[in-house]
Amino acid sequence: MITLEEAFTIVTSDLPRTGIEVIDFRMATGRVLAEDIFSDMDMPPFDKSAVDGYACRRSDIGSTMRLLEVIAAGKLPTRRIEPGTCSKIMTGAMLPENADCVVMVEQTSENDSMVTVTDQKTKNNIAYCAEDLKKGALVISEETLLQPQHIAVLASVGAVKPKVFKKVKICVFSTGDELVEPDEVPETSKIRNSNGSQLVSQAVRMGAEVEYGGIVPDNEDITREKLVEAFQIHDVIILSGGISMGDFDYIPKILNELQVNTLIRSIAVQPGKPTVFARSGNKFVFALPGNPVSSFNIFEILAKPFIYRLMGHHWQPLILRLPISETFIRKGTARLGFVPATIKPDGSVKALIYNGSAHINALVTANALISIPLGIASVTKGELVDVRLI
Ligand code: AMP
Ligand code: MG
């Protein structure tokens, strides 16, 4: 049994990255940038008004000014501001020549094309050329996971065809003779396959290209065939079940036969101890425990950073330190515990009660995982705990 840190190092070391492709920037949400993006212009590209008001000379503010023109956003001013004159200007419009200040419309009165400033304390209200960004400046770095705000920046610098890393190709299998697909009604002794869809959903949410390979029966030959077949197309195979100590847990043996090098067999985490990570060249197998809470947990804490790195992004979990809302006690302390939890509106975190790692329903209101360090059996109400968003 190795620690989570050791497992993290193994799954994130010496990884290849997927190839690079050029895509439309509108489709790039959730993709990882494969190039640095630079601004192709100053921003703002010209001095512009930050308010609706009157552009004038600050030295004229005490006297009545003659209105020259109205400058709409997107239009060029045609008149230069001379002493004793002003131009009405809209937010975002280009400042006329010789103006050094814009008085907000609310602080003025206009009568017969003559403008008086009623409140003489005014800021300049000008967004100056290049104050946000200089032409040629780095705006988004390679390896950034693109979110809506990045899409806006790509749009603003005209980077409409960014290079991004290709999606990782993942195949998800569920092993177990007891499983039936979710659209079937299980007969006695069977259960619905919930892991398969959960893992597909977790991988899809990360922007991977995921195929669901179906339920694989607890049969050595069929399992071997399925793995060999999936390796032809996919970079990563994610399996659930079949790695414990049961009579029909064949996965470790088959990986060995296929000369896929098993690098992890079990991890000191709870839930999710029986986890297998294996590698053959640039093909990988993640075999997760069959219990749905365990499989969810291991995907979050290990498969996720691994898959992001294959796609070029150095993902790290966001860990918050929050007070726990009720005293929490656990039995064993030999493993790093992960407890599904809800972050409450008051900023505290509530550990969710769950019966065991099959109790997936407990996760319905979970938005986080609390981690309880090795050797710690209890946390008192109000104590700070590490909380990872999911
Ligand atoms: P295993 O790791 O194959 O020994 O399975 C451990 C437990 O998880 C057993 O109770 C299985 O029935 C259950 N289990 C395995 N695979 C799934 C699955 N795909 N969906 C829901 N439960 C599962
Ligand atoms: Mg099984």
Side-chain angles (χ1 to χ4, degrees):
M1 203 158 63
I2 59 172
T3 64
L4 180 61
E5 289 72 38
E6 287 165 333
F8 189 92
T9 304
I10 292 171
V11 304
T12 55
S13 291
D14 190 24
L15 294 182
R17 291 199 300 198
T18 55
I20 290 171
E21 61 183 337
V22 170
I23 61 168
D24 184 283
F25 82 107
R26 293 181 188 85
M27 303 305 290
T29 311
R31 302 296 294 270
V32 180
L33 204 53
E35 61 177 336
D36 288 335
I37 299 289
F38 300 93
S39 181
D40 69 338
M41 54 160 65
D42 289 335
M43 261 183 296
F46 46 85
D47 290 344
K48 67 178 180 181
S49 178
V51 296
D52 296 319
Y54 294 89
C56 62
R57 312 271 315 146
R58 182 170 281 281
S59 51
D60 281 339
I61 281 180
S63 47
T64 300
M65 298 174 285
R66 188 165 48 83
L67 182 64
L68 298 176
E69 63 171 336
V70 177
I71 310 163
K75 296 284 182 291
L76 284 174
T78 63
R79 307 285 300 271
R80 180 186 153 90
I81 303 295
E82 302 296 351
T85 66
C86 66
S87 289
K88 195 168 192 189
I89 188 166
M90 306 302 139
T91 305
M94 187 172 175
L95 202 71
E97 206 185 322
N98 216 23
D100 58 9
C101 149
V102 180
V103 185
M104 287 168 80
V105 96
E106 295 89 330
Q107 299 178 344
T108 61
S109 74
E110 184 191 325
N111 203 344
D112 259 353
S113 293
M114 296 306 286
V115 179
T116 320
V117 177
T118 51
D119 178 352
Q120 302 193 358
K121 270 192 257 118
T122 178
K123 292 194 273 176
N124 287 351
N125 297 319
I126 297 167
Y128 292 99
C129 179
E131 74 175 16
D132 293 346
L133 207 58
K134 297 237 177 316
K135 181 176 177 175
L138 176 68
V139 286
I140 318 177
S141 307
E142 185 181 345
E143 301 187 345
T144 299
L145 180 62
L146 296 171
Q147 303 295 323
Q149 64 274 32
H150 302 117
I151 304 298
V153 173
L154 292 174
S156 67
V157 301
V160 295
K161 295 279 177 203
K163 285 184 189 161
V164 296
F165 289 102
K166 287 186 178 166
K167 296 182 172 191
V168 174
K169 291 189 175 138
I170 299 179
C171 188
V172 171
F173 290 111
S174 303
T175 73
D177 280 344
E178 74 277 35
L179 303 176
V180 300
E181 290 298 6
D183 44 11
E184 291 171 45
V185 178
E187 55 192 81
T188 319
S189 84
K190 309 263 182 189
I191 57 169
R192 288 198 176 102
N193 170 18
S194 57
N195 281 343
S197 338
Q198 174 172 266
L199 290 167
V200 167
S201 171
Q202 284 176 298
V204 164
R205 186 165 73 167
M206 293 182 54
E209 190 178 315
V210 192
E211 186 181 311
Y212 171 56
I215 296 169
V216 182
D218 289 321
N219 169 297
E220 246 185 277
D221 293 334
I222 301 179
T223 310
R224 192 183 301 106
E225 256 170 52
K226 288 279 184 190
L227 288 185
V228 171
E229 210 178 286
F231 261 153
Q232 310 291 320
I233 305 169
H234 299 93
D235 309 312
V236 180
I237 298 175
I238 300 183
L239 296 155
S240 75
I243 48 168
S244 303
M245 301 306 285
D247 291 356
F248 305 98
D249 292 337
Y250 299 123
I251 304 291
K253 178 168 178 263
I254 295 171
L255 291 175
N256 202 24
E257 284 167 15
L258 295 176
Q259 294 184 327
V260 182
N261 193 11
T262 296
L263 302 172
I264 296 176
R265 281 190 180 76
S266 77
I267 310 171
V269 293
Q270 182 195 26
K273 178 174 136 190
T275 291
V276 168
F277 177 72
R279 174 173 191 168
S280 171
N282 286 340
K283 303 276 180 177
F284 302 86
V285 177
F286 241 115
L288 309 183
N291 271 314
V293 180
S294 313
S295 130
F296 182 90
N297 189 40
I298 297 295
F299 188 98
E300 275 298 316
I301 62 181
L302 270 189
K304 193 166 168 176
F306 159 75
I307 294 167
Y308 268 135
R309 274 164 175 75
L310 292 179
M311 296 195 293
H313 177 58
H314 284 249
W315 183 85
Q316 291 285 353
L318 178 62
I319 309 245
L320 308 173
R321 294 275 294 162
L322 298 179
I324 198 160
S325 67
E326 277 152 48
T327 295
F328 173 84
I329 297 169
R330 64 171 177 157
K331 288 195 197 100
T333 66
R335 291 185 271 156
L336 171 62
F338 284 93
V339 185
T342 309
I343 298 173
K344 304 208 302 186
D346 67 2
S348 68
V349 62
K350 181 181 189 308
L352 296 170
I353 295 164
Y354 75 112
N355 302 332
S357 35
H359 193 187
I360 192 68
N361 306 25
L363 264 63
V364 165
T365 58
N367 56 16
L369 294 169
I370 297 175
S371 56
I372 310 287
L374 292 168
I376 300 290
S378 69
V379 190
T380 314
K381 179 179 174 174
E383 249 184 83
L384 295 180
V385 285
D386 281 354
V387 180
R388 169 194 289 253
L389 302 183
I390 53 174

Short mmCIF file of all heavy atoms in Angstrom, two decimals, residues 175-176 178 218 241-242 249, ligand 2:
data_model
loop_
_atom_site.label_atom_id
_atom_site.label_comp_id
_atom_site.label_asym_id
_atom_site.label_seq_id
_atom_site.Cartn_x
_atom_site.Cartn_y
_atom_site.Cartn_z
N THR A 175 -16.83 -4.07 -14.94
CA THR A 175 -16.75 -5.53 -14.86
C THR A 175 -17.69 -6.04 -13.77
O THR A 175 -17.89 -5.38 -12.76
CB THR A 175 -15.32 -6.01 -14.51
OG1 THR A 175 -15.07 -5.74 -13.12
CG2 THR A 175 -14.28 -5.33 -15.37
N GLY A 176 -18.26 -7.20 -14.00
CA GLY A 176 -19.07 -7.84 -12.96
C GLY A 176 -20.27 -8.58 -13.53
O GLY A 176 -21.05 -8.00 -14.29
N GLU A 178 -22.74 -9.42 -11.93
CA GLU A 178 -23.96 -9.00 -11.24
C GLU A 178 -24.59 -7.76 -11.89
O GLU A 178 -25.66 -7.32 -11.49
CB GLU A 178 -23.66 -8.70 -9.76
CG GLU A 178 -22.90 -7.40 -9.46
CD GLU A 178 -21.39 -7.50 -9.62
OE1 GLU A 178 -20.93 -8.24 -10.52
OE2 GLU A 178 -20.66 -6.83 -8.87
N ASP A 218 -17.41 -11.42 -15.66
CA ASP A 218 -16.24 -11.89 -14.89
C ASP A 218 -15.70 -13.15 -15.57
O ASP A 218 -15.84 -14.26 -15.06
CB ASP A 218 -16.65 -12.19 -13.44
CG ASP A 218 -16.93 -10.92 -12.66
OD1 ASP A 218 -16.21 -9.94 -12.86
OD2 ASP A 218 -17.89 -10.91 -11.87
N GLY A 241 -14.25 -2.36 -10.87
CA GLY A 241 -14.51 -3.70 -10.35
C GLY A 241 -13.43 -4.68 -10.79
O GLY A 241 -12.57 -4.38 -11.63
N GLY A 242 -13.46 -5.84 -10.14
CA GLY A 242 -12.59 -6.93 -10.59
C GLY A 242 -11.13 -6.84 -10.16
O GLY A 242 -10.29 -7.53 -10.72
N ASP A 249 -11.80 -11.82 -9.58
CA ASP A 249 -11.12 -10.54 -9.81
C ASP A 249 -9.86 -10.76 -10.65
O ASP A 249 -8.76 -10.93 -10.13
CB ASP A 249 -10.80 -9.86 -8.46
CG ASP A 249 -12.07 -9.41 -7.75
OD1 ASP A 249 -13.09 -9.21 -8.45
OD2 ASP A 249 -12.06 -9.25 -6.53
MG MG B 2 -16.70 -7.64 -9.42
#
